[in-house]
Amino acid sequence: MSEFNNLKLEVAEEIAVLTISRPAALNALNSETLDELDVALTEIEARDDVKVLILTGGPDKKDNPYKSFVAGADISEMVNFTAAEARAFGMKASVPFFKLMNMRQVTIAAVNGFALGGGCEISMACDIRIAADNATFGQPETGLGIIPGFGGTQRLARLVGMGRAKELIFTCDSIDANEAYRIGLVNKVVAKEELMNTAKEMAKKIASKGSYAVSIAKAAINNGYDMDIKNAVEMEANLFGITCSTHDKAEGMGAFLERRAANLTDF
């Protein structure tokens, strides 16, 4: 793996934990970090020994591990952007964000503290979001005279509905973890001390299933979401057919009929 200034990567038991680590900036996303994320995600996707990726934020400069997931995009970098530079920054972020969304591994955001602006946006690019009970979500951009630039206007509406997305973006209101769960922004809320254990337990459960089938199901959900239902169901049938030609299908169904544990190895 490459060396990174703002990221830390650990891999064990088919689970990668990728930590964004800019302690002095509460893990805010700058250009260097976005470039490093792009490289790291490309390398992780190529690894057959990684079935699930957990994305989280590192401790702050006082070594508090629960302060911030990602506090936002780096305003100190953005303050003097021209229109062209701002657009390029948004497009730079879209590359690793789409990798989180579309890579064959399942991606889980373990949100430990502030998930504001770009932090909320990068969590929404993941497949699943687990929030610590002290997590805070929000899109404060219009209060700075701009709009979300890392996919917030699009992913938030798709997750929580257009009305709630408009309210959060127009008012800049932040919401706590329980409200984020209530409106469907996160999948689960746990005590902050249990966040990583909970994320890893979910990751282990996912990794124990047919990883090739999970990756195909992820692609089916992502690609079919904006299709009309007839074409989406036809796409699903085609992908269902593909999975029925695999080793894992024969092994999984054989094990079920023989009442034994399946050895699912495709990826």
Side-chain angles (χ1 to χ4, degrees):
M1 293 292 293
S2 300
E3 296 290 328
F4 302 111
N5 293 323
N6 303 318
L7 304 176
K8 296 178 181 178
L9 177 66
E10 298 176 1
V11 177
E13 299 181 310
E14 301 184 314
I15 300 165
V17 177
L18 184 62
T19 302
I20 299 172
S21 181
R22 296 188 68 216
L26 295 178
N27 305 322
L29 300 174
N30 62 357
S31 291
E32 181 182 45
T33 306
L34 293 171
D35 287 338
E36 290 185 356
L37 280 166
D38 183 28
V39 173
L41 295 174
T42 298
E43 294 182 358
I44 290 167
E45 185 172 23
R47 294 182 61 157
D48 290 338
D49 64 329
V50 174
K51 305 294 179 62
V52 181
L53 167 65
I54 298 171
L55 180 72
T56 195
D60 68 2
K61 61 185 179 181
K62 295 183 179 180
D63 206 33
N64 179 354
Y66 308 117
K67 181 71 171 182
S68 183
F69 171 66
V70 171
D74 195 327
I75 294 174
S76 66
E77 180 178 2
M78 294 190 296
V79 65
N80 293 317
F81 275 172
T82 65
E85 289 168 338
R87 181 187 185 280
F89 191 51
M91 294 307 296
K92 179 188 288 288
S94 74
V95 177
F97 283 32
F98 274 118
K99 285 183 179 177
L100 284 167
M101 179 179 173
N102 294 319
M103 64 195 298
R104 59 180 179 150
Q105 288 86 355
V106 174
T107 55
I108 299 173
V111 182
N112 51 320
F114 294 128
L116 303 174
C120 186
E121 288 167 305
I122 197 170
S123 77
M124 292 190 292
C126 295
D127 297 313
I128 295 167
R129 284 153 296 286
I130 302 175
D133 55 8
N134 71 320
T136 302
F137 297 84
Q139 299 290 162
E141 289 88 352
T142 62
L144 301 173
I146 58 174
I147 70 168
F150 290 177
T153 61
Q154 304 306 305
R155 290 191 174 95
L156 187 59
R158 285 165 168 77
L159 283 169
V160 305
M162 188 177 291
R164 287 195 176 99
K166 286 179 176 179
E167 178 184 353
L168 289 170
I169 291 169
F170 297 169
T171 65
C172 302
D173 286 347
S174 296
I175 58 174
D176 63 18
N178 288 325
E179 178 66 3
Y181 176 76
R182 188 187 73 82
I183 67 175
L185 181 55
V186 302
N187 299 74
K188 189 184 291 284
V189 178
V190 298
K192 60 182 185 291
E193 297 84 0
E194 295 299 318
L195 176 64
M196 290 308 297
N197 285 339
T198 302
K200 288 179 180 179
E201 285 303 311
M202 182 181 289
K204 288 177 184 177
K205 180 181 288 189
I206 293 168
S208 73
K209 310 307 178 186
S211 293
Y212 179 71
V214 169
S215 71
I216 294 296
K218 174 175 174 173
I221 295 168
N222 285 348
N223 294 326
Y225 190 81
D226 291 320
M227 295 172 65
D228 67 89
I229 188 66
K230 183 178 184 299
N231 285 313
V233 169
E234 182 176 353
M235 176 197 67
E236 180 189 81
N238 292 334
L239 294 174
F240 171 65
I242 291 171
T243 60
C244 281
S245 67
T246 63
H247 160 271
D248 276 2
K249 177 262 186 180
E251 168 63 14
M253 291 191 176
F256 176 83
L257 293 173
E258 295 164 14
R259 299 186 178 181
R260 59 176 175 82
N263 181 27
L264 305 177
T265 58
D266 292 334
F267 189 36

